[in-house]
Amino acid sequence: MVHWSAEEKQLISSVWGKVNVEECGAEALARLLIVYPWTQRFFDNFGNLSSPTAIIGNPKVRAHGKKVLTSFGDAIKNLENLKATYSKLSELHCDKLHVDPENFRLLGDILIIVLAAHFGKDFTPSCQATWQKLVGVVAHALAHKYH
Amino acid sequence: MVLSSADKNNVKIIFSKIGGHAEDYGGEALERMFVTYPQTKTYFPHFDLGKGSAQVKAHGKKVAAALVEAANNIDDIAGALSKLSDLHAQKLRVDPVNFKLLGQCFLVVVASHNPAALTPEVHASLDKFLCAVGTVLTAKYR
C-alpha cells in the first residue's frame, strides 16, 4: 500500500484543481504520439496521425486524451485504493487492448512535462517529485492485473 | 535512433533560446532529480545535497556545459563527449538508467521556463538528443 503524506496530498489536489482536464489530456496524449511515435500502434483507427500538426488537430486524439485524464481524476479521488479502483481498467488494457505497461510510464512522464509547461515555477521540485510518484503508482496499478 | 536534420535544428534553436541560463538549468535539473529520484543521490555521497547547495550548482554548470558542447557539435556527439564517455565508463560508472532520469528532469526545467518554445516537435527532438547523449556517455561501459 502506498503511503501519501499530507503534503503530498496537498500538492496533488492543488495542482489538479487548476488543471483543465480536456486541454491537458489532449496535449499529453498528442505529445505521447509525437515524442514516442511507436505508441501510435494502438491507434490505427484514429485517422490522420501523419504529422505533429495532424496529431494535435485530430479530434479522436483530443477526445481520447480527455478520457484518459478524466480517469486519472478517479485515481486522485481514490489514492488509498488505487489497485481496486483500476482493477477492471487493468484487465481491459491487458486482455483487450494489449498495451505494454511501459506505455503508462511514458505517458506519465509526458504528463509531468505538460504540467511543468503549464505551471512554470509553481511546479516546484517537491511538486514534480509528488506527481512523478503519482504517475508511477497509477502506472503500477494499471499493470497490476496483467498476466 | 538517429537525429534528423530537423531534430538537430530544433536542438540548436532551443539551446540558443536557453542561452546563458543553461548553467542554472543544469543545477535545477540536478536538484529536481535528487528530490524526485532519491536513489540518484547515491552517486554523490561526497556532496552537500541540501537546497541551494553550491556544489550542486557547480556540478549543474558542468552538466549543462557538456550538453551545450554536444548541441554545438551535434553532428559528432560521440567525438565531442569522448573524454566524458571515458570518464563515465572508467571512473564514474553511473548506471545507464539514471541518464533517462536526469533527461526527464532537464525536460521539466526547460518546459517550466520556456513553455512556448517547447512545442511538441521540439520536445521530441530534445528528448531524442538527451537519449543520444546518454547513449554516448554509456557507450564504452562494456
Side-chain angles (χ1 to χ4, degrees):
Chain A
M1 246 277 293
V2 179
H3 173 72
W4 300 94
S5 71
E7 189 201 348
E8 285 172 333
K9 289 185 193 180
Q10 215 281 311
L11 285 169
I12 290 170
S13 60
S14 71
V15 165
W16 190 247
K18 297 182 201 130
V19 165
N20 178 323
V21 170
E22 180 167 357
E23 286 305 319
C24 189
E27 166 125 26
L29 186 62
R31 282 182 185 255
L32 178 74
L33 298 173
I34 292 165
V35 177
Y36 307 116
W38 55 92
T39 58
Q40 294 170 23
R41 70 191 296 286
F42 301 107
F43 302 102
D44 278 340
N45 63 334
F46 269 29
N48 188 5
L49 299 178
S50 60
S51 70
T53 311
I55 291 170
I56 291 163
N58 185 311
K60 284 189 172 170
V61 172
R62 285 195 73 86
H64 196 68
K66 177 183 177 185
K67 189 177 184 181
V68 168
L69 206 62
T70 301
S71 165
F72 210 83
D74 290 337
I76 290 175
K77 288 196 212 106
N78 292 281
L79 284 179
E80 310 297 334
N81 203 11
L82 264 176
K83 288 203 175 90
T85 304
Y86 272 1
S87 178
K88 287 258 159 351
L89 257 184
S90 180
E91 286 172 4
L92 177 79
H93 281 78
C94 174
D95 300 332
K96 292 265 159 16
L97 305 176
H98 311 293
V99 177
D100 178 349
E102 178 62 17
N103 292 283
F104 310 142
R105 223 192 41 78
L106 292 179
L107 181 59
D109 279 353
I110 294 270
L111 178 61
I112 298 293
I113 289 164
V114 170
L115 292 176
H118 188 78
F119 288 98
K121 276 196 276 288
D122 290 344
F123 199 63
T124 62
S126 316
C127 215
Q128 180 188 351
T130 299
W131 274 80
Q132 294 272 188
K133 177 178 169 180
L134 176 62
V135 301
V137 163
V138 167
H140 186 76
L142 265 176
H144 190 247
K145 281 308 219 298
Y146 272 56
H147 60 97
Chain B
M1 180 204 52
V2 166
L3 294 174
S4 69
S5 42
D7 288 324
K8 292 177 185 179
N9 203 43
N10 284 336
V11 170
K12 281 194 213 291
I13 291 174
I14 191 78
F15 269 92
S16 75
K17 288 216 170 96
I18 291 170
H21 295 288
E23 296 184 341
D24 293 331
Y25 284 21
E28 190 182 333
L30 284 175
E31 183 198 350
R32 283 178 181 275
M33 186 184 72
F34 293 139
V35 173
T36 305
Y37 310 108
Q39 67 272 25
T40 57
K41 295 190 290 185
T42 57
Y43 291 96
F44 298 91
H46 53 301
F47 266 29
D48 161 26
L49 296 177
K51 198 162 162 47
S53 157
Q55 282 178 308
V56 172
K57 281 199 174 72
H59 196 68
K61 277 189 190 169
K62 273 194 208 168
V63 169
L67 288 177
V68 168
E69 181 71 7
N72 288 339
N73 294 278
I74 203 163
D75 289 323
D76 183 17
I77 297 175
L81 299 187
S82 180
K83 288 212 166 54
L84 259 184
S85 181
D86 292 338
L87 181 73
H88 282 77
Q90 290 154 20
K91 191 152 170 285
L92 304 178
R93 291 169 292 182
V94 172
D95 190 284
V97 72
N98 295 287
F99 296 97
K100 280 204 189 123
L101 304 183
L102 181 57
Q104 168 73 357
C105 290
F106 190 77
L107 279 166
V108 167
V109 173
V110 173
S112 68
H113 289 283
N114 307 273
L118 197 73
T119 62
E121 293 94 326
V122 172
H123 177 171
S125 299
L126 189 54
D127 190 88
K128 282 171 77 172
F129 168 74
L130 293 168
C131 283
V133 169
T135 299
V136 162
L137 290 178
T138 57
K140 300 175 197 173
Y141 272 31
R142 55 178 172 170

